[in-house]
DNA sequence: CGATTTCTCCCCCGAACGGGGTATGGCCAG
DNA sequence: CTGGCCATACCCCGTTCGGGGGAGAAATCG
């Protein structure tokens, strides 16, 4: 048979932590190699315990779960972290993901689903509940479409600004587009006016953040 | 009972399209209100059909599925689009999501799972297979942490660059930080050298995209 | 302690930029 | 057909940038 998945917990609620630890330890194919009550303990003990998957509460006493993920990933780059949260805390979702979390589940997730999610993340997936998945996907919608900011920009203006955002100077942009330097400058002037900015950097950040 | 979910298909393979259309039409709680073979037909007929969810093949003759999503969302902002793809085409995933797609599934998804995914997207979820979910989550890992790029920057250098990214000119940054204009320039020179860029815009985009 | 890093300031100079004009040709809607 | 929008192009002029130097004070690290 395949070896058990090594799982660790970081959860300050003693009752829930022990409940989960027992459940995971008892499940075939899973091993519980750690159950910490706070971030400091996790950072001190988990590197030695070498878990493959960590379930981490997002609200912890002292250091937050988000901060803990970042530090833990620094020492165990291969570890997969699934955040657990009581409410779907939109604010911190993205911070956690940026810091290296691979999944995001609600605490009320049924234990059986939790085990499935652990397997999923171990197999390279990214388990998350549907509401959170939607938020993640929505964050893409805003990015590419450039909502209000560039709505007024013409095709050409946006094209020029895209090259500006890539760090090209006007002369290079002119050559790249096969137009005059002066024309590039003219398009940029129009961009500045429409976006209410005064510099190329501000324009680029506004449209292509 | 709740009304059926209005579903439309855009899929060039006739066999698969009709198979899916029949399956959806036959399923309780689902109605198939359109089945188009290409993007042009979809754009022409779907606004009138008013589907709530569209299953869209990513590879279509003529206009690509990605392009089609963008245009369709422009006319039907409320429609939820789930992309279907034969292989997990990493290249186009992000383009599709940026253009407004809400989900991303493989064609080999079992029909029963497909129905569940349609319900999920209708309820505000974002169905996607686990491999794609991982890619999406990974795209966040790179973003926030600013991996190699700004690791070498000193506190002050990053501070200056942050103001650059907000569109301030050196003179304003100097006043804001209470230091000399020359010092600001010096910090920026160091940034450029460390980031291997030549302009403030390129540096800003590299560190604060 | 000495070496290194960081932050601070200064000069010169050529290139790049931003704002102000003006103008021509194409295209589309009223 | 006329006015508006778009893309193209040019001029002047003052400001800003970026690269090249040099240099001192403080902090940090071996």
């Amino acid at each position: 048979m395949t070896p058990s998945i090594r799982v660790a917990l970081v959860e300050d609620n003693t009752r829930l932590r022990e409940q989960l630890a027992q459940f995971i330890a008892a499940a075939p194919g899973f091993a519980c190699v750690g159950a910490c009550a706070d971030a400091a303990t996790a950072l001190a003990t988990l590197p030695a315990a070498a878990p493959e998957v960590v379930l981490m509460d997002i609200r912890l006493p002292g250091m937050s779960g988000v901060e803990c993920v970042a530090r833990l990933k620094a020492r165990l780059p291969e570890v997969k972290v699934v955040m657990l949260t009581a409410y779907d805390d939109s604010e911190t979702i993205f911070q956690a993901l940026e810091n290296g979390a691979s999944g995001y589940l609600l605490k009320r997730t049924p234990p059986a689903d939790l085990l499935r999610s652990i397997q999923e993340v171990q197999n390279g997936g990214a388990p998350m509940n549907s509401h959170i998945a939607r938020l993640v996907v929505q964050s893409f919608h805003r990015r590419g479409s450039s909502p209000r900011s560039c709505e007024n920009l013409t095709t050409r203006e946006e094209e020029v600004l895209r090259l500006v955002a890539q760090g090209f100077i006007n002369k290079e942009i002119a050559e790249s587009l096969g137009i005059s330097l002066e024309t590039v400058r003219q398009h940029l002037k129009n961009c500045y006016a429409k976006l209410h900015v005064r510099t190329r950097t501000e324009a680029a950040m506004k449209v292509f953040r």
Side-chain angles (χ1 to χ4, degrees), chain A residues 142-154:
Chain A
R142 296 184 200 116
R143 270 207 285 172
S145 52
S146 316
R148 293 134 211 133
S149 339
C150 87
E151 212 147 310
N152 313 314
L153 295 185
T154 69

Side-chain angles (χ1 to χ4, degrees), chain A residues 47-75:
Chain A
E52 294 166 294
V53 176
V54 174
L55 303 183
M56 169 114 46
D57 188 4
I58 202 131
R59 292 182 186 275
L60 292 170
M63 188 189 305
S64 79
V66 173
E67 175 77 13
C68 187
V69 172
R71 301 208 188 185
L72 195 57
K73 289 285 282 191
R75 300 195 202 171

Side-chain angles (χ1 to χ4, degrees), chain A residues 155-203:
Chain A
T155 312
R156 202 53 154 173
E157 284 159 1
E158 195 183 329
E159 208 172 348
V160 170
L161 199 51
R162 188 184 312 279
L163 293 170
V164 165
Q166 286 164 30
F168 295 108
I169 64 175
N170 293 351
K171 193 196 294 183
E172 294 165 341
I173 295 171
E175 284 167 12
S176 161
L177 295 179
I179 58 178
S180 157
L181 170 67
E182 293 302 324
T183 305
V184 173
R185 282 161 44 71
Q186 188 57 50
H187 285 312
L188 281 180
K189 285 181 206 178
N190 293 335
C191 290
Y192 300 151
K194 289 179 180 177
L195 298 170
H196 308 293
V197 300
R198 293 141 42 236
T199 70
R200 54 182 40 230
T201 306
E202 202 175 351

